Amino acid sequence: MTQTTRKADPGRRSLRSPASRLRARLRRLVDLALASDPGLQRLRTASRVTLSTVAAALVSYLLVVVLAGGFALSPLFGAVVALMATNAVRDATIRERKVTTLLLFFPASASVAAAAILSSALWAQWLALSVVVFSAFYLRRFGPRWVAIGFMAAIPFFVSAIISSLLGLPDGQLPWIFAAIAVGLVCVYGVRFYLLPDNPRSVLRQSLAAFDVQLGITLEAITRTLSDRRHDGDRDKRLRRESGRLRERAAAAEGQLLAEESEVSREESDQLRLYLFDTEMSTHTLWEIVWNDAVWSDAGSGDNENTFPQEVRDPLLRALYELCATLRLEGTGSREAPQALRDLESARAEAATQDRDAHWSFQVRRADAAIRQLSEGAGEEEERGPASVEAPESGEEDTKEEPEGEEEQEDGRDGAGEEREPRRSGIAGRLRPTTIQGIQATVAVGLALAAGEVFSSSRPYWVVIVAFIVFVGSGTLGDTLSRGVQRTVGTLAGAVAGFLLAGLVSGDRYLEGALIVACIFLAFYLFSLSQTLMMFWITVLLALAFDIIGRLGEGGILALRFFDTLLGSAIGLAVAALVFPTRPSDEFRGLTADFLDSLQDYVGDQIKRLSGGEPDRHPVEQAREVEGKIGAVTRNAATTRRQAGVFGRSRTALNHWMTGLLALDYYARHLAGPIGRSQRLDGGTDQSALLREAGDRISANIGSLRRAISQGEECDIRDVEGLMQQLENRLMQDQRVKGHPDDGHTGTSPLDALHYLRRINRTLGELSAAPTVGGGRKKSRASFPGPTR
């Protein structure tokens, strides 16, 4: 029967049989490329870094070496500074980024001079390096400008120390190096602000386009799953991957809307953010419904209450085909989509009257509402999208003020550039996270210097660099471990490939130079996708650079680099684990408490909205905040699982907790979607009072679980089932939902929102009795997962 449906359905012919297969395949490749890089940000960043670095090396070589007869290695410093400055400067506005770029000359020059002058006094150089490393992390607390300044002081110091130990660096050569650094920063300034300038309006248009493309790809995968009605691991992975990518594309576009240079009005920004969020939620709803149908069908359940009857599934499939055609603007899809939805509702109503109204009926109503929202939202976005990102007629570059607390932060830092870490006890509890990380990095670098002198006295700084990099961008112990492993694997793989590649092309300076340029581009293009790949290409670059200066052919250097990388990584990870450490269970507890804090505020605001009041914050803003907190918990749990596997510890309780926390996030996000915003009771009614009372209990239950996690208090989860049942009965008797009667056509009955609130409270009750990872007690007090000690 499925095969017959496929052949007869006109939507499938529109979707799967384009006029030209070659054109369809090419378009598919273009779509994948656009969706993989929202706003072409990675391409723009990699191009900037590459052009700036190449320009700095060539221009400084011509000016400093050829024309002025200066130090031959000066262009190396100019190239390194250009490479680092392009990626390190991340201020909020264009004006601030310009100022920071020019200011980087002073820390870079000072650190190079200090390393060169102190090269004859090893202990003094080590002391200076310790001060530089600590400052690089401590200064992060003052904001993005100081993050760049600290980073730009550390890396040139390393480069200067390495060059001094290898070739010597007389004081008389410093002016030429300063000139090359200045040339490098001028090249960065020219490339970033004139040749490839920041164009937030263009990036916003490209980000929205990438979101629309990913939406089409995700819906096509969902449609094929419903058509095939088949459940398997590969299909599951693909649906989850595409759904996750859609969420990432939505977050990227929202970040551009919140950027100060976006030139989008607050009203238009709010409309587009709601469109992005609603579209993501509706797509996820379709994914959940279709996947559940596929699972039950594959289990041989037949046409029971969990699977769609054939007379309902066929029009649902056709509605999805027409939705895909509408989004693709193919043929007559946009004209046939409304009729497909009417057919779907008629089939649902007819099947329900035949005494077959089971669990699937509610799911069909949800699918109908989701498809309608996607169809209407696409049309509205098409109408207002281009106007929302038009350049102002004045063409002014200056930026507008951004409301405090709404700017997007990088690398998990808050507005002051400081990492958010779990609460610590003792001395560590009185120190800032940046201070703690500065101490950790300084101790690691000191130990790496000593170990390097013992095991690799000719080049101790390779060990030092690896130990330093372990802490860059890391926060908690689990994060440090995860990043350290990725960077170590990338470095080792890159060392093998780099030294082999350098051996093959050795002597051809032009080819080696071209390969170095390619390595720079690939390293920064892949940086946001995988730190392993980034470190792989950086290590290949270093191997080629060593060959150019004639140091690659020394005996045993390949094995020495392997050993140095392992030694530096081991030192960094050991320091992170022993100096002001946080146990994995403590990290999980702190991150979970932060998530529940945000969830409590978010649910309270949505209850206020549903009961007829006005929320304190924008619903999408709150939903994204909750999403970010659960993302941090998920990343920590992934690291904890790996540690538990290595040390033979149980992961059962951790998996149980993660299932519950992810369920809380899933149910809560639906409250800010189309359902939550469209269902508002009249304020002052008995129904509104009942909803507020139930909401107060749920909010109190979230707070009780949060206090049990952070303070070890008794966790008392109060039941809300009686209030919910009473409210449902009254709503069914007297439909007073503002503007949305429960006629079965919109799929937005207030009972839908109550369904998610009830699920939230039930999940809280299950988590309150969850056991620890090591097993054991299961009381009314909440217990928390973590590797047993």
Side-chain angles (χ1 to χ4, degrees):
M1 185 173 293
T2 303
Q3 296 296 328
T4 303
T5 303
R6 290 184 190 174
K7 293 180 181 179
D9 191 84
R12 189 174 185 88
R13 288 198 300 270
S14 174
L15 180 66
R16 298 297 299 270
S17 300
S20 171
R21 288 184 176 273
L22 178 60
R23 183 179 63 184
R25 290 175 180 174
L26 290 176
R27 185 183 62 190
R28 177 75 174 180
L29 292 176
V30 172
D31 287 350
L32 291 174
L34 289 174
S36 66
D37 188 7
L40 302 180
Q41 287 285 69
R42 288 192 287 115
L43 178 62
R44 182 183 296 270
T45 298
S47 299
R48 280 177 177 168
V49 173
T50 304
L51 288 175
S52 299
T53 304
V54 172
L58 293 178
V59 174
S60 58
Y61 177 78
L62 291 175
L63 295 181
V64 176
V65 180
V66 176
L67 296 181
F71 184 45
L73 290 181
S74 296
L76 174 62
F77 289 89
V80 169
V81 168
L83 186 146
M84 296 295 122
T86 306
N87 198 48
V89 178
R90 297 183 179 181
D91 295 270
T93 65
I94 294 177
R95 182 181 290 109
E96 291 175 347
R97 287 195 284 271
K98 288 181 176 180
V99 173
T100 302
T101 300
L102 298 177
L103 289 177
L104 293 182
F105 172 79
F106 300 102
S109 300
S111 63
V112 168
I117 293 172
L118 299 175
S119 60
S120 58
L122 187 59
W123 288 102
Q125 192 181 58
W126 286 15
L127 180 61
L129 177 60
S130 300
V131 173
V132 169
V133 169
F134 178 82
S135 301
F137 287 95
Y138 182 80
L139 292 175
R140 297 168 71 176
R141 60 179 291 192
F142 298 111
R145 174 170 294 170
W146 292 96
V147 173
I149 289 175
F151 192 64
M152 194 52 62
I155 298 301
F157 192 104
F158 283 124
V159 175
S160 180
I162 292 173
I163 297 299
S164 299
S165 64
L166 290 175
L167 305 174
L169 193 61
D171 297 346
Q173 305 295 342
L174 287 177
W176 302 115
I177 296 177
F178 297 160
I181 292 174
V183 169
L185 291 175
V186 170
C187 291
V188 171
Y189 194 94
V191 170
R192 181 163 191 176
F193 302 113
Y194 292 98
L195 185 59
L196 292 175
D198 291 302
N199 191 342
R201 293 181 295 275
S202 175
V203 173
L204 176 57
R205 282 193 292 268
Q206 294 166 354
S207 297
L208 291 173
F211 175 81
D212 290 338
V213 168
Q214 184 60 45
L215 173 62
I217 294 173
T218 306
L219 287 174
E220 286 182 16
I222 292 172
T223 303
R224 292 191 181 99
T225 300
L226 181 64
S227 176
D228 296 340
R229 211 174 189 182
R230 180 168 55 85
H231 164 266
D232 58 63
D234 292 340
R235 193 179 296 267
D236 183 28
K237 289 180 181 178
R238 184 189 176 192
L239 283 175
R240 292 182 184 277
R241 181 178 66 249
E242 300 299 350
S243 179
R245 287 175 178 172
L246 184 66
R247 180 179 299 183
E248 293 173 0
R249 305 306 173 253
E254 287 176 16
Q256 291 300 319
L257 286 169
L258 295 175
E260 294 187 8
E261 303 95 340
S262 65
E263 301 292 353
V264 179
S265 68
R266 183 60 181 266
E267 181 181 358
E268 291 172 324
S269 175
D270 288 345
Q271 290 177 350
L272 281 171
R273 291 169 68 194
L274 288 175
Y275 158 73
L276 293 168
F277 186 79
D278 288 354
T279 301
E280 177 197 330
M281 290 300 303
S282 297
T283 305
H284 191 82
T285 297
L286 289 174
W287 171 80
E288 173 205 352
I289 294 170
V290 169
W291 184 245
N292 286 336
D293 177 70
V295 170
W296 284 105
S297 299
D298 194 58
S301 302
D303 290 333
N304 65 10
E305 65 174 10
N306 294 296
T307 59
F308 299 136
Q310 191 66 36
E311 60 268 28
V312 172
R313 194 175 69 87
D314 286 347
L316 174 59
L317 184 61
R318 180 169 177 266
L320 285 172
Y321 285 149
E322 297 302 338
L323 174 61
C324 292
T326 299
L327 295 175
R328 288 286 194 181
L329 301 179
E330 291 183 359
T332 59
S334 60
R335 293 194 297 271
E336 296 183 6
Q339 182 60 45
L341 288 171
R342 287 192 292 270
D343 293 344
L344 172 62
E345 175 55 31
S346 298
R348 186 197 71 83
E350 182 179 354
T353 59
Q354 297 176 4
D355 197 24
R356 299 181 58 185
D357 191 6
H359 179 71
W360 60 262
S361 182
F362 172 67
Q363 300 300 340
V364 172
R365 289 183 58 205
R366 292 178 66 205
D368 179 87
I371 294 173
R372 289 178 186 275
Q373 193 283 322
L374 288 169
S375 299
E376 296 168 1
E380 293 174 2
E381 194 273 337
E382 183 179 358
E383 292 176 2
R384 67 171 175 259
S388 301
V389 293
E390 281 293 324
E393 294 182 2
S394 62
E396 294 181 1
E397 178 191 85
D398 201 5
T399 61
K400 59 182 179 181
E401 292 297 323
E402 179 80 2
E404 184 178 358
E406 286 201 12
E407 61 187 58
E408 186 181 30
Q409 301 299 333
E410 301 279 351
D411 299 331
R413 290 185 291 272
D414 60 15
E418 188 170 337
E419 283 94 357
R420 296 184 291 269
E421 286 197 346
R423 298 170 181 83
R424 304 170 186 254
S425 58
I427 298 177
R430 296 191 292 271
L431 298 177
R432 292 180 176 269
T434 49
T435 305
I436 291 174
Q437 199 169 40
I439 295 173
Q440 290 176 325
T442 303
V443 173
V445 166
L447 293 176
L449 283 168
E453 280 296 314
V454 174
F455 298 104
S456 183
S457 59
S458 60
R459 298 177 187 84
Y461 284 99
W462 190 282
V463 183
V464 177
I465 290 176
V466 175
F468 172 79
I469 288 177
V470 165
F471 291 94
V472 175
S474 301
T476 63
L477 173 59
D479 193 24
T480 303
L481 175 61
S482 177
R483 291 172 182 261
V485 171
Q486 292 182 56
R487 289 166 174 168
T488 301
V489 171
T491 300
L492 292 177
V496 174
F499 287 110
L500 292 176
L501 180 61
L504 292 174
V505 301
S506 181
D508 191 337
R509 294 293 181 260
Y510 293 104
L511 180 56
E512 287 184 314
L515 290 174
I516 286 177
V517 172
C519 289
I520 294 173
F521 178 84
L522 291 171
F524 286 91
Y525 185 76
L526 300 171
F527 172 65
S528 61
L529 298 180
S530 170
Q531 294 202 22
T532 300
L533 292 176
M534 189 262 192
M535 290 306 301
F536 173 86
W537 291 110
I538 288 293
T539 309
V540 172
L541 182 154
L542 292 175
L544 293 170
F546 271 119
D547 185 68
I548 289 177
I549 64 176
R551 296 286 177 169
L552 186 68
E554 297 181 1
I557 193 170
L558 179 59
L560 184 61
R561 293 290 75 80
F562 282 164
F563 178 78
D564 290 349
T565 300
L566 290 174
L567 181 60
S569 298
I571 290 173
L573 296 176
V575 170
L578 298 175
V579 179
F580 299 128
T582 54
R583 295 177 300 175
S585 57
D586 292 337
E587 294 178 23
F588 187 91
R589 184 180 293 112
L591 293 172
T592 301
D594 289 342
F595 164 69
L596 292 175
D597 264 339
S598 296
L599 183 69
Q600 184 177 17
D601 294 339
Y602 167 79
V603 171
D605 253 22
Q606 299 315 309
I607 293 293
K608 185 184 296 185
R609 175 186 291 276
L610 287 169
S611 60
E614 290 298 327
D616 298 329
R617 295 173 58 190
H618 194 283
V620 176
E621 177 185 334
Q622 283 189 302
R624 293 303 184 196
E625 179 180 301
V626 174
E627 182 181 308
K629 296 296 179 63
I630 193 63
V633 177
T634 302
R635 290 189 295 272
N636 174 269
T639 302
T640 304
R641 285 191 187 98
R642 288 193 291 268
Q643 291 175 308
V646 171
F647 295 105
R649 295 164 178 162
S650 173
R651 290 177 286 189
T652 303
L654 176 63
N655 292 336
H656 179 77
W657 268 84
M658 284 309 304
T659 299
L661 294 175
L662 289 171
L664 287 176
D665 174 65
Y666 172 76
Y667 298 139
R669 280 192 293 121
H670 280 277
L671 298 177
I675 290 178
R677 293 200 312 279
S678 63
Q679 300 171 12
R680 299 188 64 178
L681 297 170
D682 293 330
T685 62
D686 292 340
Q687 292 93 327
S688 177
L690 282 173
L691 180 58
R692 285 196 300 270
E693 183 178 355
D696 290 342
R697 287 192 185 182
I698 294 175
S699 182
N701 289 341
I702 297 174
S704 178
L705 184 61
R706 189 246 180 258
R707 288 190 299 274
I709 289 175
S710 59
Q711 303 172 19
E713 297 181 0
E714 288 289 334
C715 185
D716 181 21
I717 302 298
R718 302 175 62 190
D719 184 47
V720 297
E721 190 62 33
L723 288 173
M724 287 292 185
Q725 190 61 52
Q726 186 179 356
L727 178 57
E728 287 181 359
N729 292 336
R730 293 196 180 187
L731 288 174
M732 294 175 68
Q733 294 172 1
D734 183 12
Q735 291 293 338
R736 287 190 276 185
V737 178
K738 191 175 181 180
H740 287 280
D742 186 20
D743 55 8
H745 292 281
T746 62
T748 56
S749 166
L751 302 180
D752 296 342
L754 299 186
H755 165 78
Y756 294 115
L757 290 174
R758 180 183 280 114
R759 289 298 184 91
I760 288 174
N761 204 64
R762 289 178 180 175
T763 305
L764 292 172
E766 292 174 1
L767 287 177
S768 68
T772 60
V773 164
R777 72 174 188 263
K778 191 174 183 179
K779 302 179 181 179
S780 59
R781 181 188 296 273
S783 52
F784 319 102
T788 54
R789 293 178 63 81

